[in-house]
Amino acid sequence: MEKLTVALLGGGVVGSEVARTLLADAETLAERVGTRLELTAVAVRDASRERPGIPAELLTDDPETAIRGADIVIELMGGIEPARSLILAALEGGSSVVTANKALLAQSFPELLEAADASGVRLEFEAAVAGAIPIVRPLQASLAGDRVTRVMGIVNGTTNYILDQMAREGWGFAHALRTAQELGYAEADPTADVAGLDAAAKAAIIASLAFQVPVSMDDVHVEGITGVSADMIATAEAQGFTIKLLAICERLEGENPGVSARVYPALVSREHPLAAVSGAFNAVFVEAESAGSLMFYGQGAGGAPTSSAVLGDLVSVARRKVLGGRGQAPAQIRGTGRVLPIADVDTRYQITLEVSDRPGVLLAVAEALAAEGVSVELASQTQFENPQADEPRAKLVIATHTARESALAATVENLAALDAVASVRSVLRIEGS
Ligand code: NAP
């Protein structure tokens, strides 16, 4: 084989890095693949704009023509359309596809895999989850002979940076977000990150791969970090926890089997490896029956780190083309397991209450918990200064044992209705213990 042609859709943060490396490292890549990779086009919205390191003659605003006849198409445009139609057209036309598009995969995973399978070509997407960190391949290949039971990931660097700065500097959410934006860690519109949507797309992909069940973005329970206050972080720290936005994917056995995918800010014990993941770094903690616990750590975003994962996929796909043979999509997500709603999941809560500092309050609180069958693992009470209150107040922090989420949510409602409870100051789930 004399060469393989590669069409690139997107020349932005990741695409431009991929294009430059493809051109600059052509010889090394040719040695690894066994043939030359020829970049034939870089499709962008504005082809007249100069892109450093990318020859102007490669730029085009016509992605449909760019993909025609390409051996391999790399999709780095992002978004749902036209990315979905272009990928489907490429797969149906016999091109293998490499993409980093988590939003699209979280919506159309089965459709894309089936299209790849039907054409006997490959669809690779290592960069779609946690940037440079190899997690897709471990889940679909290295651990294929094991049984993954749970995956917990810090898969959004922006929110990890914000929470980390709040804990280190004592900042409020708004100040930490502003700093993240000034430093380029957060977008001008940070909604996808801070509302947990970016992490939810990754959770959908991880759960689909780990449990071989199609899980879409709509199946993922999502809570973002906008409600996390400096006070909540201080309480967490005082109790030996750190707050992390976690994407949790779990296989649930027992009477109500199924899988769960959820994203929320959670308390993680300071002893847990995920608690040490600071700044904008990502980490994915995998628990499997035979392998035990595994942790994958590194840079989850950025042009160069993400392009590393894209180019790894490209070399793998290209090698397969050189060696010949059917290049079927290796991901199998045709299982029939149920995706459970959050209410059916077992979790632990830490509930922080502002209560009247008078006798009988603890008993009333204990009764409200017992009414839903929730037992307390730890309770601690400290004096609480509330200048607006006309009575002495206390802060009561309760950590529950594991209980059904629906019972825990009902417990919080019961507590809020008690005379002795002035306010429910925060409710956070405890994970990883
Ligand atoms: P980006 O900087 O916004 O780049 C998008 C590129 O696609 C631009 O070059 C844009 O052209 C082009 N494009 C968009 N719509 C187009 C259309 N309809 N027709 C032709 N070209 C079009 O995005 P990115 O940050 O590189 O992200 C690319 C993908 O990688 C996304 O799926 C993202 O989720 C994923 N990803 C990114 C990171 C990261 O750190 N950035 C990490 C992991 C995964 P113009 O330049 O002319 O506007």
Side-chain angles (χ1 to χ4, degrees):
M1 194 176 282
E2 193 192 321
K3 65 177 182 188
L4 287 169
T5 53
V6 179
L8 179 56
L9 304 179
V13 175
V14 185
S16 60
E17 199 68 38
V18 168
R20 280 194 290 269
T21 311
L22 262 174
L23 296 169
D25 292 351
E27 270 181 42
T28 316
L29 289 168
E31 277 168 24
R32 291 186 188 160
V33 169
T35 192
R36 217 157 45 80
L37 297 176
E38 186 192 351
L39 182 61
T40 52
V42 181
V44 289
R45 255 184 305 234
D46 178 3
S48 65
R49 186 152 64 80
E50 231 180 86
R51 324 251 168 177
I54 307 177
E57 63 271 19
L58 289 182
L59 295 171
T60 170
D61 58 8
D62 180 2
E64 283 85 6
T65 305
I67 63 172
R68 215 165 288 148
D71 292 306
I72 302 167
V73 171
I74 305 177
E75 185 278 309
L76 296 168
M77 298 163 81
I80 305 299
E81 286 294 352
R84 175 181 157 276
S85 301
L86 289 164
I87 290 179
L88 285 172
L91 295 170
E92 282 155 16
S95 313
S96 283
V97 172
V98 174
T99 179
N101 195 332
K102 60 211 124 186
L104 177 61
L105 289 172
Q107 183 193 285
S108 304
F109 209 173
E111 179 190 27
L112 298 176
L113 284 178
E114 270 162 33
D117 208 20
S119 299
V121 294
R122 286 179 70 177
L123 172 70
E124 297 290 340
F125 44 89
E126 183 62 72
V129 183
I133 303 174
I135 184 63
V136 167
R137 199 153 290 139
L139 285 176
Q140 62 180 5
S142 322
L143 290 165
D146 203 336
R147 197 173 153 80
V148 174
T149 50
R150 185 157 63 151
V151 182
M152 288 199 299
I154 295 172
V155 290
N156 182 272
T158 307
T159 46
N160 201 55
Y161 173 83
I162 291 172
L163 292 172
D164 197 36
Q165 286 302 102
M166 288 173 74
R168 276 169 203 266
E169 308 290 343
W171 293 345
F173 171 76
H175 182 66
L177 171 59
R178 248 191 333 272
T179 310
Q181 284 170 321
E182 279 160 18
L183 293 172
Y185 288 133
E187 309 258 338
D189 176 3
T191 316
D193 292 325
V194 299
L197 304 175
D198 173 78
K202 293 165 184 169
I205 300 168
I206 291 174
S208 301
L209 294 174
F211 310 128
Q212 297 85 44
V213 171
V215 178
S216 83
M217 179 87 179
D218 295 339
D219 298 320
V220 182
H221 173 85
V222 196
E223 295 170 32
I225 65 161
T226 49
V228 177
S229 64
D231 189 33
M232 285 157 80
I233 293 201
T235 304
E237 297 281 320
Q239 304 274 327
F241 292 110
T242 180
I243 299 181
K244 295 289 184 194
L245 182 73
L246 295 184
I248 303 166
C249 306
E250 233 176 341
R251 186 196 294 276
L252 300 157
E253 313 279 0
E255 284 168 19
N256 192 19
V259 305
S260 159
R262 48 198 204 266
V263 170
Y264 43 65
L267 294 167
V268 178
S269 160
R270 231 181 269 132
E271 313 299 315
H272 194 282
L274 285 175
V277 178
S278 62
F281 276 85
N282 281 197
V284 186
F285 191 80
V286 180
E287 295 167 42
E289 274 179 8
S290 303
S293 300
L294 306 161
M295 171 118 143
F296 302 82
Y297 169 85
Q299 297 191 66
T306 308
S307 79
S308 161
V310 170
L311 288 160
D313 278 350
L314 173 65
V315 169
S316 158
V317 164
R319 266 192 200 141
R320 174 66 73 98
K321 290 236 179 221
V322 169
L323 293 172
R326 189 179 156 79
Q328 84 287 356
Q332 295 298 325
I333 56 165
R334 298 197 182 107
T336 51
R338 265 185 343 123
V339 185
L340 300 175
I342 182 87
D344 290 356
V345 169
D346 289 342
T347 52
R348 290 175 65 206
Y349 271 19
Q350 185 202 64
I351 307 165
T352 303
L353 305 171
E354 183 181 335
V355 297
S356 306
D357 194 3
R358 58 177 155 85
V361 170
L362 274 180
L363 181 63
V365 167
E367 281 172 356
L369 286 146
E372 296 295 334
V374 174
S375 64
V376 176
E377 184 185 286
L378 209 74
S380 74
Q381 184 170 331
T382 48
Q383 275 197 335
F384 185 75
E385 295 301 325
N386 184 345
Q388 266 94 53
D390 52 6
E391 56 167 2
R393 291 279 168 85
K395 183 159 97 174
L396 181 60
V397 182
I398 301 160
T400 74
H401 280 295
T402 301
R404 189 54 45 96
E405 170 82 22
S406 51
L408 289 164
T411 301
V412 174
E413 275 186 31
N414 295 346
L415 288 169
L418 290 179
D419 266 355
V421 173
S423 69
V424 177
R425 294 188 66 81
S426 71
V427 178
L428 285 163
R429 298 177 186 86
I430 303 171
E431 294 288 347
S433 51

